[in-house]
C-alpha cells in the first residue's frame, strides 16, 4: 500500500506553500494540491528535500492521498473562493473528515460553513493563523475553532508546527465554530491600534522634538529592551534606520503616506458596534488609515490654518522621549483591554468558552503582536480569570496611573502643535470615561426622552420613566 499523508494543503500561494513546508519539516507527510498544477510541481521541485510531500493534480487524487480521518487545510482567498473549494472537496469526503480554513475568513462565514458541513457529518475548523509568510514557515500563532473532536486529531499537528514560548506551543483550541476566526479578527484589530500608536509616537518625536528618523530608530531600539519589547517595535526601528538606495533619503520619507488595509480591522470595528463594545482605540486606528488614504480630501484641506510648530526646547525636550514612552505604554494597555473585552463580549454572544489567558499566551510568539507585554496579560488572567478589564489589574493599573502625567502632557503638546494623535487621545478619553463617577450620558438620555419619548431610568428608584415635555413636564412611569 502506498504511503498516505497525515494532512493535506490546497492553495499553494506563499502562505499555503510555507505552511506545507513547515508541516513537512516537522516530519509530517503532506499532500499537496493547487488549482494550478505548476505551483504543486514547483513546490516539490524546490523544497522536496525538506520532507515527505505527495503531489496531487486532481481533487480525487488529493483526497485519496490522505489517511483517515482526512484533514484538508484550505489556503485560498476568503469569501467565494473558499466556498468554491469547500464545495469541490466536501462531496469526496466521509463523515469524521476535517476541513480547515486557515485564511482570514469572516467569523460569520465560518459559523455558516461549520453548521452546513456538520449536517453532512464533516468537521469544519476555522483557524486563525498569524505571523505572515515567515511565521507560516518557521512557527506561527495558530487559533483553531471548531469542535473539540476535530482538535483531538488536528491539534497535535498544529501545536507541533506553531511557535514556542518557554516550551509551550502558541496554539490552543479557542472555542466552537467561528471562535478561532473571531479571535484572529480581534488580534488584527489590536494590531491596527498598536501600529497606529507607534506611528503617532514617531510623528511626535519628529514633529515636536525634531528628531531625525535615524535618531527615532535609536529611541525605538532602546524601548525594545524594556517593557515595550515587541516585534512591532523591533521592526519599526529597522524601518526607520533604512535609507532609500535611489534617493539617499530616509526610507520613511519616500513612501506615500496613505496606509492600506485588507478589511479585518474594519470587521473588528463593525462587530464591536454590533456587540456594543467600546473599542475606540481600534476604531480610531482604522479611521486613521482611511483618512490617510483620502488623498483628494486631504489635498483640498491642506491650506487650512493651524498652529506654528515650534520644536520643544530645554527640559521639555529632554524628557519628551520618556514622556512619549509612557503615553505609548498606557495607550497600548487601553487598546489591548478593549480587544480582550470584545473577545469576552463575543464569547457571551455566540456561546463560546474562550480562555482569555490562553489567548494571551498563544499571542506571545509567532504572531505580529507578539510582545513581552503579553506575558503580563497572561499572568493577569491567570490570577483573575473573571477580570473585567486589564486596566483594573494590579500591575497594569499602577503602570497606567503612573503614566498619567506624561500621557496628558504629550497629548497637550500634540494639540498645541497641531500634531494629530487620534490613538493617544481616544485612549485617554476612554480611560477617563471608565473612571468617571458620572458621565454626561444622563443629559443625552434627557435629550432622547424630550424628542423621542425614549424614556430614562433614575438613580433613586427602579423602573423606566418619561417626562411630559410638551405638557406640564410631570413625570410618568413608562
Amino acid at each position: 500500500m502506498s504511503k498516505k499523508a497525515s494532512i493535506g494543503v490546497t492553495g499553494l500561494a506563499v502562505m499555503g506553500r510555507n505552511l506545507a513546508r513547515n508541516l513537512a519539516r516537522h516530519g509530517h507527510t503532506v499532500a499537496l494540491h493547487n488549482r494550478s498544477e505548476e505551483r504543486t510541481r514547483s513546490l516539490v521541485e524546490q523544497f522536496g528535500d525538506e520532507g515527505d510531500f505527495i503531489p496531487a493534480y486532481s481533487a480525487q487524487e488529493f483526497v485519496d492521498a490522505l489517511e483517515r480521518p482526512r484533514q484538508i487545510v484550505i489556503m485560498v482567498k476568503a469569501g467565494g473562493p473558499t466556498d468554491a473549494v469547500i464545495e469541490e472537496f466536501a462531496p469526496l469526503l466521509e463523515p469524521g473528515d476535517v476541513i480547515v480554513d486557515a485564511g482570514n475568513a469572516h467569523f460569520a462565514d465560518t459559523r455558516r460553513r461549520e453548521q452546513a458541513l456538520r449536517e453532512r457529518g464533516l468537521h469544519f475548523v476555522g483557524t486563525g493563523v498569524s505571523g505572515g509568510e515567515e511565521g507560516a514557515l518557521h512557527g506561527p500563532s495558530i487559533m483553531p475553532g471548531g469542535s473539540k473532536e476535530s482538535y483531538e486529531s488536528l491539534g497535535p499537528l498544529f501545536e507541533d508546527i506553531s511557535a514556542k514560548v518557554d516550551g509551550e506551543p502558541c496554539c490552543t483550541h479557542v472555542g466552537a465554530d467561528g471562535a478561532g476566526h473571531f479571535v484572529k479578527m480581534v488580534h488584527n484589530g489590536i494590531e491596527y491600534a498598536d501600529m497606529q500608536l507607534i506611528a503617532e509616537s514617531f510623528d511626535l518625536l519628529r514633529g515636536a522634538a525634531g528628531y531625525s528618523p535615524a535618531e527615532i530608530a535609536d529611541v525605538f531600539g532602546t524601548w525594545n529592551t524594556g517593557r515595550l519589547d515587541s516585534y512591532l517595535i523591533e521592526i519599526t526601528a529597522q524601518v526607520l534606520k533604512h535609507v532609500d538606495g535611489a534617493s539617499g533619503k530616509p526610507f520613511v520619507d519616500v513612501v506615500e503616506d496613505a496606509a492600506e488595509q485588507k478589511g479585518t480591522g474594519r470587521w473588528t470595528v463593525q462587530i464591536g458596534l454590533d456587540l456594543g463594545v467600546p473599542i475606540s482605540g481600534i476604531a480610531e486606528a482604522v479611521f486613521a488609515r482611511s483618512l490617510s488614504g483620502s488623498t483628494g480630501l486631504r489635498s483640498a484641506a491642506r491650506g487650512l490654518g493651524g498652529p506654528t510648530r515650534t520644536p520643544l526646547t530645554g527640559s521639555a525636550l529632554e524628557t519628551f522621549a520618556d514622556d512619549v514612552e509612557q503615553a505609548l505604554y498606557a495607550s497600548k494597555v487601553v487598546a489591548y483591554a478593549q480587544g480582550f473585552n470584545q473577545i469576552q463580549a463575543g464569547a457571551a454572544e455566540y456561546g463560546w468558552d474562550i480562555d482569555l489567558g490562553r489567548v494571551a499566551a498563544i499571542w506571545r510568539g509567532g504572531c505580529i503582536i507578539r510582545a513581552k507585554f503579553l506575558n503580563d496579560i497572561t499572568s493577569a488572567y491567570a490570577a483573575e480569570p473573571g477580570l473585567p478589564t486589564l486596566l483594573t489589574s494590579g500591575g497594569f493599573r499602577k503602570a497606567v496611573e503612573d503614566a498619567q502625567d506624561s500621557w496628558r502632557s504629550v497629548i497637550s503638546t500634540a494639540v498645541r502643535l497641531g500634531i494629530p494623535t487620534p490613538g493617544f487621545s481616544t485612549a485617554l478619553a476612554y480611560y477617563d470615561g471608565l473612571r468617571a463617577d458620572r458621565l454626561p450620558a444622563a443629559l443625552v438620555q434627557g435629550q432622547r426622552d424630550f424628542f423621542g419619548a425614549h424614556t430614562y431610568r433614575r438613580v433613586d428608584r427602579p423602573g423606566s420613566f418619561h417626562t411630559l415635555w410638551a405638557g406640564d413636564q410631570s413625570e410618568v412611569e413608562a
Side-chain angles (χ1 to χ4, degrees), residues 56-325:
Y57 301 102
S58 71
Q60 187 65 61
E61 185 182 358
F62 182 59
V63 169
D64 290 343
L66 295 165
E67 62 186 30
R68 297 175 182 173
R70 302 177 182 93
Q71 301 181 125
I72 294 175
V73 178
I74 298 173
M75 295 293 287
V76 300
K77 289 183 179 179
T82 298
D83 283 322
V85 173
I86 290 170
E87 285 309 309
E88 180 180 9
F89 286 102
L92 306 177
L93 301 176
E94 299 175 350
D97 289 346
V98 182
I99 297 177
V100 180
D101 175 12
N104 269 336
H106 194 291
F107 79 96
D109 288 337
T110 301
R111 299 189 81 213
R112 168 180 58 80
R113 292 163 181 154
E114 193 275 338
Q115 181 178 354
L117 290 172
R118 188 182 348 123
E119 292 172 357
R120 297 163 72 167
L122 302 175
H123 295 286
F124 184 74
V125 180
T127 300
V129 178
S130 179
E133 59 187 81
E134 287 300 306
L137 181 61
H138 299 294
S141 175
I142 307 179
M143 297 153 256
S147 66
K148 292 181 179 178
E149 292 81 4
S150 65
Y151 195 77
E152 289 176 4
S153 59
L154 187 65
L157 276 74
F158 279 175
E159 290 177 13
D160 192 26
I161 67 167
S162 70
K164 308 294 187 299
V165 175
D166 298 330
E168 295 182 14
C170 292
C171 174
T172 193
H173 180 233
V174 175
D177 54 73
H181 275 144
F182 186 94
V183 166
K184 175 55 164 54
M185 175 192 74
V186 175
H187 164 284
N188 284 22
I190 293 172
E191 179 185 308
Y192 273 57
D194 215 340
M195 293 173 70
Q196 175 65 25
L197 293 169
I198 291 170
E200 290 179 19
S201 299
F202 157 74
D203 203 20
L204 284 161
L205 290 171
R206 196 171 199 187
Y211 289 16
S212 69
E215 289 171 329
I216 301 172
D218 291 337
V219 171
F220 275 92
T222 300
W223 289 352
N224 201 48
T225 64
R227 62 181 179 175
L228 287 173
D229 177 4
S230 68
Y231 174 70
L232 284 172
I233 293 289
E234 176 188 345
I235 67 169
T236 299
Q238 294 184 36
V239 170
L240 290 172
K241 281 181 182 176
H242 186 56
V243 175
D244 176 54
S247 65
K249 297 179 179 179
F251 170 77
V252 74
D253 286 344
V254 300
V255 176
E256 184 179 6
D257 62 337
E260 299 181 0
Q261 50 187 309
K262 291 188 175 180
T264 48
R266 190 181 301 120
W267 292 348
T268 309
V269 176
Q270 289 168 341
I271 300 305
L273 291 170
D274 291 342
L275 293 172
V277 181
I279 51 168
S280 51
I282 296 171
E284 284 294 351
V286 173
F287 290 139
R289 291 197 191 188
S290 298
L291 178 61
S292 76
S294 300
T295 52
L297 188 62
R298 290 175 61 199
S299 178
R302 194 153 281 133
L304 294 175
T308 301
R309 288 195 183 181
T310 306
L312 300 174
T313 58
S315 60
L317 176 60
E318 291 175 6
T319 63
F320 192 66
D322 289 339
D323 288 339
V324 172
E325 190 272 347

Side-chain angles (χ1 to χ4, degrees), residues 31-50:
L32 303 172
H33 175 267
N34 194 76
R35 184 177 60 178
S36 165
E37 294 183 4
E38 178 54 35
R39 279 194 173 167
T40 306
R41 292 193 182 92
S42 173
L43 193 157
V44 175
E45 289 172 2
Q46 291 183 63
F47 308 109
D49 60 347
E50 293 184 345

Side-chain angles (χ1 to χ4, degrees), residues 312-386:
L312 300 174
T313 58
S315 60
L317 176 60
E318 291 175 6
T319 63
F320 192 66
D322 289 339
D323 288 339
V324 172
E325 190 272 347
Q326 293 270 23
L328 174 56
Y329 185 82
S331 300
K332 183 183 175 85
V333 174
V334 168
Y336 279 70
Q338 291 179 352
F340 277 92
N341 283 155
Q342 183 170 12
I343 295 173
Q344 283 177 316
E349 176 70 18
Y350 301 110
W352 299 323
D353 182 16
I354 299 179
D355 184 333
L356 297 180
R358 285 296 301 146
V359 170
I362 67 171
W363 286 351
R364 293 179 301 162
C367 69
I368 302 302
I369 63 172
R370 60 186 183 268
K372 177 181 178 181
F373 173 84
L374 283 155
N375 288 316
D376 299 329
I377 297 179
T378 303
S379 299
Y381 282 110
E384 190 179 349

